[in-house]
């Protein structure tokens, strides 16, 4: 596992968040939301700090983090790739697109490439059904994709 | 008590207001099956997540079936616990649970003792109508406990024990839906968590998801090896519980039969951890008096209260959670380890056997002892003082495997010299017993007077935190007792805040003390069993001629021939230990 670097500034910010919630156990989910906002993800170290600040067990914090799919323990890549899995996209072959991204990037859904460039996630309908199947890279939308076009997209960012 | 009238299965009954349907049904002798629910009355411990829905009943006027374990009765309620609708619903629930459960009952270590298995039996399940994916997780083996998560049915009893009762907080429900399990943080293995190995999660797990690491085969191999002298020691609480595994009433003392069985298993020497418990009192009692007297003389460098240290679950707890206070507990090793150290030095010399050719096996009510005997500080050149620690349950398996008819055995005695003990040692197995034993000896050593009445009723019982002041001939000694780690935590917080008034505190990790240990025969939710075991230990103590540790003639001989004096140099080396800071710091890298 890579060493995780947390800057002291951000940790101070996190502690301030806990304080703003009065270190209330019941505010755990809100604290986690804010923490994910600060760090972009919730590594074990961040969960340990939160557990101490709110005086709950780390196992409990992890229980909550692992329950909600919104929370992630993996850092997003520099270029987060999100594949729409809404009905229209699904019907138009989104699954094949996922498979191709997995193959080209050599990672699974929810993972990040070892150089930190790309991460892979699935989304519900993004409201561009006319363009199905749809993929987002960061904020940029790519529509009417075929598995063959995946390589080109990756190449565009891989520089 | 305010009561209400309800109708259960066409019987009108009067029950306490606010009672659940389950409780009311029990009162009138109606059995409702349960799986996740667990209620240890005498310990005031209850688990009711209402998760499994095995306990559903029909309530007139209500659309869905109601879970009996959490639904409160109201005046005039009409309940049906066994009509076809109820039975079918329960069976469906059970089949769904079974559809995601491995069916390797035949080779499961819980075979014959599993609540899920007996329920399938009771319900007459012959076929599972649901075919689903079966979840597979990697198994987790620690020095004491095995987690086989595929067998977890998410009753969350273990979580309740670890969090609410023990306040260790190692286990939590994680993930969602089909993938949900109970696991340590980040799904790490137990040995990468703050687990104390108290085994209370194992004691309540209804299935084979949590079990002990089994050393019975290793013991059989040692017994079959002619080059080894194999020595066994049995902890106080084992004799009050082992009989249950052979169908005897809870609270039946089987000390004599157990000694006979161990001899038939082929152990060369059948000794008793009780001997080492007497030794513990000599060391711990001397240490207590030394600290007390220096404190009374105004020496501010000595810390009081002194805390007992014979429970390795408790030692693990403070090493992880209160490392800054690790100079407060006594430095005395647990009886298991004292026994090992004396056996592989003093006794080894006596019989002329090298320690490498000796195998010391301990039979313990405890899972934390499995971990304890593997600690590096209890080894000499890599050879452990105690080679294998097996639980009461494992001993029962050994006896059954070797075809010994336990119930027909005669009563036999332990061997000498390490098999002799006093009544003070026997009560080590229950909450309150260690400190009572210590008081009996410390009183006489401190005052120089003979203690006429050795029974200290004020130290006995099952209340989680107890306190008493004992008159040491004009000197009031204030004693605290806690069992269950959550209660220990309360006393520790007091000490930390400088509010503790006690001179000495006894702590046992398991509710009830070792009689309720994680290695004992399973109580399946019936806490009256613990009380019966406790009573048995006090009665064995009462029946002994010698009831004070310092009167044990073999202990006197051991000091004369070998150790010199309590807390002397050799004792320091063999019978005392030191503790470590095992807290985990959050690693922050700039
Ligand atoms: S052994 Fe004790 S501390 Fe460890 S997980 Fe089980 S209940 Fe918790
Ligand atoms: S491990 Fe055992 S006690 Fe814990 S939730 Fe699973 S089945 Fe229940
Ligand atoms: S109370 Fe007894 S059984 Fe429980 S952990 Fe301590 S020594 Fe072991
Ligand atoms: S289904 Fe993909 S954009 Fe709507
Ligand atoms: S026993 Fe009532 S819901 Fe599990």
């Amino acid at each position: 596992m890579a060493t995780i670097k947390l800057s002291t500034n951000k940790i101070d910010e996190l502690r301030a968040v806990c304080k703003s919630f009065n270190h209330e156990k019941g505010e755990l989910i809100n604290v986690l939301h804010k923490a994910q906002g600060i760090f972009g993800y919730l590594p074990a170290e961040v969960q340990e700090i939160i557990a101490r600040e709110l005086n709950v067990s780390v196992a409990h914090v992890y229980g909550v983090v692992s329950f909600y799919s919104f929370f992630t323990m993996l850092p997003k890549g520099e270029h987060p790739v999100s594949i729409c899995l809404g009905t229209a996209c699904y019907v138009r072959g989104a699954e094949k697109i996922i498979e191709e991204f997995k193959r080209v990037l050599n990672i699974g859904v929810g993972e990040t490439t070892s150089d930190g460039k790309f991460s892979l996630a699935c989304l519900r309908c993004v409201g561009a059904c006319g363009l199905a199947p749809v993929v987002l890279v960061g904020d940029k939308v790519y529509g009417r994709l075929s598995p063959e076009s995946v390589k080109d997209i990756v190449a565009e960012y891989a520089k | 008590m305010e009561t209400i009238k309800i109708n259960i299965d066409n019987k009108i009954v009067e029950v306490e207001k606010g009672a659940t349907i389950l409780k009311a049904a029990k009162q009138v002798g109606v059995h409702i099956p349960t799986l996740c629910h667990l209620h240890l009355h005498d310990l005031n411990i209850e688990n009711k997540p209402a998760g499994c829905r095995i306990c559903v009943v029909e309530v007139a006027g209500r659309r869905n079936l109601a879970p009996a374990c959490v639904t409160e009765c109201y005046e005039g309620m009409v309940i049906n616990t066994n009509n076809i609708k109820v039975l079918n619903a329960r069976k469906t629930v059970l089949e769904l649970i079974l559809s995601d459960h491995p069916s390797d009952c035949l080779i499961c270590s819980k075979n014959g003792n599993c609540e899920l298995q007996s329920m399938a039996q009771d319900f007459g399940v012959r076929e599972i109508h649901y075919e689903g994916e079966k979840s597979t997780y990697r198994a987790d083996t620690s020095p004491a406990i095995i987690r086989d998560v595929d067998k977890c049915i998410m009753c969350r009893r273990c979580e309740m024990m670890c969090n609410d009762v023990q306040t260790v907080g190692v286990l939590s429900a994680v993930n969602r839906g089909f993938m949900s399990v109970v696991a340590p943080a980040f799904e790490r293995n137990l040995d990468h968590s703050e687990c104390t190995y108290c085994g209370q999660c194992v004691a309540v797990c209804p299935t084979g998801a949590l079990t002990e690491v089994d050393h019975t085969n290793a013991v059989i191999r040692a017994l079959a090896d002619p080059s080894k002298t194999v020595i066994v020691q049995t902890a106080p609480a084992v004799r009050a519980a082992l009989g249950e595994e052979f169908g005897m009433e809870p609270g039946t003392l089987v000390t004599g039969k157990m000694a006979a069985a161990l001899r038939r298993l082929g152990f060369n020497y059948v000794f008793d951890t009780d001997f080492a418990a007497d030794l513990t009192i000599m060391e711990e009692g001397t240490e207590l008096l030394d600290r007390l007297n220096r404190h009374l003389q105004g020496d501010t460098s000595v810390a009081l209260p002194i805390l007992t240290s014979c429970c390795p679950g408790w030692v693990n707890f403070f090493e992880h959670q209160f490392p800054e206070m690790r100079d407060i507990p006594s430095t005395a090793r647990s009886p298991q380890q004292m026994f090992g150290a004396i056996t592989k030095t003093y006794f080894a010399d006596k019989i002329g056997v090298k320690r490498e050719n000796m195998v010391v096996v301990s039979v313990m009510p405890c899972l934390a002892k499995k971990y304890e005997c593997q600690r590096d500080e209890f080894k000499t050149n890599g050879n452990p003082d105690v080679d294998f620690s097996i639980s009461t349950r494992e001993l029962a398996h050994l006896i059954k495997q070797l075809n010994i008819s336990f119930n027909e055995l005669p009563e036999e005695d332990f061997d000498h010299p390490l098999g002799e003990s006093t009544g003070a040692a026997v009560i080590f197995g229950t909450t309150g017993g260690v400190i009572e034993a210590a008081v009996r000896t410390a009183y006489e050593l401190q005052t120089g007077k003979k203690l006429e009445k050795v029974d200290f009723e004020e130290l006995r019982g099952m209340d989680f935190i107890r306190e008493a002041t004992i008159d040491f001939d004009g000197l009031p000694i204030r004693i605290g007792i806690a069992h269950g780690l959550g209660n220990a935590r309360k006393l520790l917080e007091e000490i930390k805040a400088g509010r503790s008034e006690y001179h000495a505190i006894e702590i046992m990790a398991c509710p009830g003390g070792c009689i309720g240990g994680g290695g004992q025969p399973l109580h399946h939710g019936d806490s009256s069993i613990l009380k019966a075991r406790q009573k048995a230990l006090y009665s064995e103590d009462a029946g002994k001629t010698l009831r004070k540790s310092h009167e044990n003639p073999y202990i006197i001989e051991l000091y004369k021939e070998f150790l010199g004096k309590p807390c002397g140099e050799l004792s320091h080396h063999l019978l005392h230990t030191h503790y470590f800071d095992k807290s985990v710091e959050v690693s922050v890298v700039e």
Side-chain angles (χ1 to χ4, degrees):
Chain A
M1 267 235 310
T3 23
I4 291 162
K5 297 197 172 127
L6 302 177
S7 81
T8 27
N9 282 348
K10 285 188 173 177
I11 290 173
D12 289 344
E13 205 181 320
L14 173 62
R15 294 221 160 92
V17 166
C18 296
K19 198 163 168 220
S20 74
F21 283 107
N22 273 326
H23 303 274
E24 284 282 347
K25 292 183 185 29
E27 300 285 1
L28 177 59
I29 294 188
N30 291 327
V31 171
L32 287 169
H33 266 282
K34 297 255 177 191
Q36 185 152 307
I38 298 170
F39 295 95
Y41 68 117
L42 295 169
E45 287 75 4
V46 166
Q47 296 182 45
E48 274 167 26
I49 294 171
I50 294 174
R52 280 190 197 198
E53 292 290 320
L54 304 191
N55 197 17
V56 294
S57 73
V58 197
H60 176 66
V61 176
Y62 175 70
V64 173
V65 169
S66 63
F67 185 84
Y68 294 101
S69 52
F70 170 82
F71 295 125
T72 169
M73 283 185 66
L74 293 167
K76 275 209 185 117
E78 206 180 311
H79 308 291
V81 178
S82 315
I83 301 155
C84 175
L85 267 188
T87 318
C89 291
Y90 189 84
V91 172
R92 296 251 190 102
E95 249 184 322
K96 286 210 183 89
I97 307 284
I98 296 181
E99 287 312 313
E100 186 60 10
F101 267 109
K102 283 203 219 160
R103 199 185 62 80
V104 172
L105 297 175
N106 197 19
I107 53 172
V109 174
E111 291 177 0
T112 303
T113 51
S114 55
D115 61 3
K117 276 226 142 109
F118 295 97
S119 56
L120 211 50
C122 294
L123 291 177
R124 303 242 171 272
C125 175
V126 295
C129 308
L131 296 176
V134 168
V135 164
L136 299 175
V137 179
D139 293 334
K140 192 162 171 204
V141 180
Y142 293 81
R144 301 222 174 87
L145 289 182
S146 63
E148 291 72 38
S149 47
V150 166
K151 258 209 218 90
D152 300 336
I153 298 178
V154 172
E156 204 181 315
Y157 293 91
K159 285 164 238 152
Chain B
M1 183 178 87
E2 212 179 319
T3 61
I4 49 175
K5 280 207 180 69
I6 60 169
N7 177 324
I8 298 188
D9 296 344
N10 293 324
K11 267 181 283 181
I12 309 282
V13 290
E14 207 170 319
V15 299
E16 193 183 335
K17 192 174 175 227
T20 59
I21 298 179
L22 183 64
K23 198 169 164 207
K26 205 168 175 186
Q27 256 173 49
V28 295
V30 171
H31 173 74
I32 297 174
T34 54
L35 209 43
C36 63
H37 181 259
L38 177 82
H39 192 184
L40 304 172
H41 297 261
D42 306 276
L43 299 166
N44 222 342
I45 294 171
E46 188 164 10
N47 185 49
K48 40 178 181 181
C52 75
R53 306 274 146 169
I54 279 288
C55 63
V56 287
V57 295
E58 190 174 45
V59 174
R62 184 179 152 139
R63 232 172 12 130
N64 336 341
L65 299 178
C69 65
V70 288
T71 310
E72 277 186 21
C73 299
Y74 53 78
E75 180 68 49
M77 194 180 212
V78 179
I79 303 156
N80 199 317
T81 75
N82 59 7
N83 62 22
I84 183 90
K85 188 171 165 200
V86 167
L87 296 185
N88 281 340
R90 286 185 193 151
K91 207 160 169 177
T92 303
V93 168
L94 183 60
E95 283 186 34
L96 282 171
I97 296 174
L98 292 174
S99 73
D100 181 24
H101 194 90
S103 19
D104 57 1
C105 286
L106 276 179
I107 49 167
C108 177
S109 59
K110 264 297 188 52
N111 190 3
N113 216 344
C114 168
E115 292 175 35
L116 184 65
Q117 190 186 46
S118 32
M119 188 164 284
Q121 164 87 313
D122 290 350
F123 282 26
V125 177
R126 291 291 172 269
E127 193 182 345
I128 294 159
H129 295 91
Y130 308 90
E131 215 179 297
E133 213 184 323
K134 285 198 201 276
S135 41
T136 47
Y137 298 89
R138 90 197 128 72
D140 164 14
T141 305
S142 67
I145 293 170
I146 300 175
R147 289 173 54 241
D148 185 354
V149 189
D150 287 342
K151 293 181 179 161
C152 175
I153 57 167
M154 282 304 280
C155 69
R156 305 178 70 170
R157 292 183 188 179
C158 56
E159 196 188 344
M160 180 277 300
M161 275 310 214
C162 193
N163 295 292
D164 304 347
V165 179
Q166 302 296 60
T167 66
V168 178
V170 161
L171 297 174
S172 172
V174 305
N175 301 329
R176 191 166 30 158
F178 179 64
M179 288 305 287
S180 59
V181 290
V182 170
F186 317 122
E187 285 156 82
R188 287 183 184 146
N189 286 349
L190 269 185
D191 62 355
H192 281 80
S193 74
E194 298 196 328
C195 176
T196 66
Y197 301 123
C198 70
Q200 284 306 309
C201 51
V202 177
V204 297
C205 180
T207 70
L210 294 170
T211 52
E212 70 266 49
V213 173
D214 188 326
H215 290 305
T216 47
N217 283 332
V219 172
I220 292 177
R221 270 199 300 278
L223 288 168
D225 183 345
S227 69
K228 301 283 187 212
T229 302
V230 193
I231 297 171
V232 69
Q233 52 159 326
T234 59
V238 177
R239 66 209 66 196
L242 180 64
E244 293 162 29
E245 293 279 350
F246 299 94
M248 298 182 192
E249 275 303 302
T252 310
L253 277 171
V254 294
T255 320
K257 284 192 191 305
M258 177 177 69
L262 292 167
R263 210 160 271 132
R264 289 180 188 43
L265 284 172
F267 288 101
N268 300 93
Y269 295 91
V270 178
F271 287 150
D272 198 352
T273 315
D274 286 22
F275 173 84
D278 278 333
L279 188 57
T280 303
I281 289 303
M282 298 305 291
E283 295 293 327
E284 212 170 68
T286 306
E287 192 188 349
L288 163 72
L289 290 179
D290 175 58
R291 267 161 71 169
L292 181 69
N293 289 324
R294 283 197 292 156
H295 179 82
L296 292 174
Q297 283 151 19
D299 182 346
T300 48
S301 72
V302 281
L304 278 184
I306 185 170
L307 309 175
T308 56
S309 57
C310 45
C311 165
W314 149 237
V315 169
N316 292 338
F317 181 73
F318 72 70
E319 284 187 329
H320 279 294
Q321 315 236 354
F322 293 87
E324 69 282 8
M325 291 164 75
R326 65 189 188 278
D327 58 331
I328 306 183
S330 159
T331 58
R333 295 184 189 176
S334 73
Q336 160 175 282
Q337 293 309 136
M338 286 202 183
F339 181 95
I342 292 296
T343 303
K344 287 203 175 173
T345 55
Y346 170 74
F347 187 67
D349 282 352
K350 241 184 178 15
I351 59 169
V353 173
K354 285 210 207 79
R355 75 176 288 140
E356 297 75 43
N357 293 329
M358 255 184 180
V359 176
V360 174
V361 176
S362 69
V363 184
M364 295 285 142
C366 178
L367 301 189
K369 300 255 169 56
K370 285 180 186 283
Y371 166 78
E372 184 190 36
C373 72
Q374 294 177 32
R375 290 177 82 127
D376 285 336
E377 59 273 29
F378 300 139
K379 289 179 183 158
T380 302
N381 301 328
N383 178 279
D385 291 345
V386 174
D387 295 80
F388 303 109
S389 182
I390 63 171
S391 65
T392 312
R393 294 190 292 266
E394 286 168 87
L395 174 60
H397 283 155
L398 263 182
I399 295 172
K400 288 174 190 168
Q401 263 188 62
L402 274 82
N403 301 319
I404 297 169
S405 311
F406 188 79
N407 303 47
E408 265 95 74
L409 289 174
E411 313 261 321
E412 292 180 10
D413 281 329
F414 291 106
D415 294 319
H416 288 309
L418 309 182
E420 182 70 37
S421 65
T422 70
V426 179
I427 55 175
F428 258 64
T430 166
T431 167
V434 175
I435 207 74
E436 179 167 341
V439 165
R440 290 180 193 174
T441 287
Y443 179 93
E444 295 203 349
L445 296 184
Q446 176 79 359
T447 64
K449 291 190 178 161
K450 189 167 157 54
L451 188 65
E452 292 308 333
K453 192 178 160 294
V454 298
D455 295 299
F456 289 89
E457 298 295 341
E458 58 272 50
L459 298 173
R460 300 182 181 180
M462 267 300 178
D463 289 343
F464 268 143
I465 294 182
R466 309 194 290 285
E467 50 182 24
T469 303
I470 310 278
D471 178 17
F472 271 41
D473 202 23
L475 180 67
I477 300 295
R478 285 184 303 275
I479 305 249
I481 295 169
H483 55 123
L485 290 170
N487 303 298
R489 179 186 293 282
K490 288 184 194 144
L491 294 190
L492 280 174
E493 298 286 1
E494 268 183 24
I495 300 173
K496 206 167 158 182
R499 282 188 281 108
S500 185
E501 303 266 287
Y502 303 112
H503 293 114
I505 298 178
E506 176 203 283
I507 291 175
M508 302 251 195
C510 297
C514 304
I515 47 171
Q520 292 282 53
L522 300 170
H523 50 60
H524 293 298
D526 181 358
S527 51
S528 69
I529 291 177
L530 301 194
K531 282 198 156 164
R533 293 177 189 162
Q534 184 180 53
K535 214 169 129 208
L537 290 183
Y538 283 119
S539 84
E540 177 147 309
D541 165 36
K544 291 242 187 186
T545 5
L546 295 179
R547 300 182 63 193
K548 297 167 200 155
S549 297
H550 57 289
E551 291 177 351
N552 182 335
Y554 290 92
I555 291 282
I556 298 172
E557 193 175 288
L558 173 66
Y559 278 105
K560 212 188 291 161
E561 282 182 11
F562 184 64
L563 286 173
K565 61 175 194 332
C567 295
E569 209 187 303
L570 201 50
S571 292
H572 182 77
H573 180 62
L574 292 175
L575 307 180
H576 290 257
T577 186
H578 50 280
Y579 305 114
F580 300 87
D581 179 350
K582 292 196 181 154
S583 59
V584 264
E585 270 312 307
V586 178
S587 41
V588 178
V589 196
E590 185 61 32

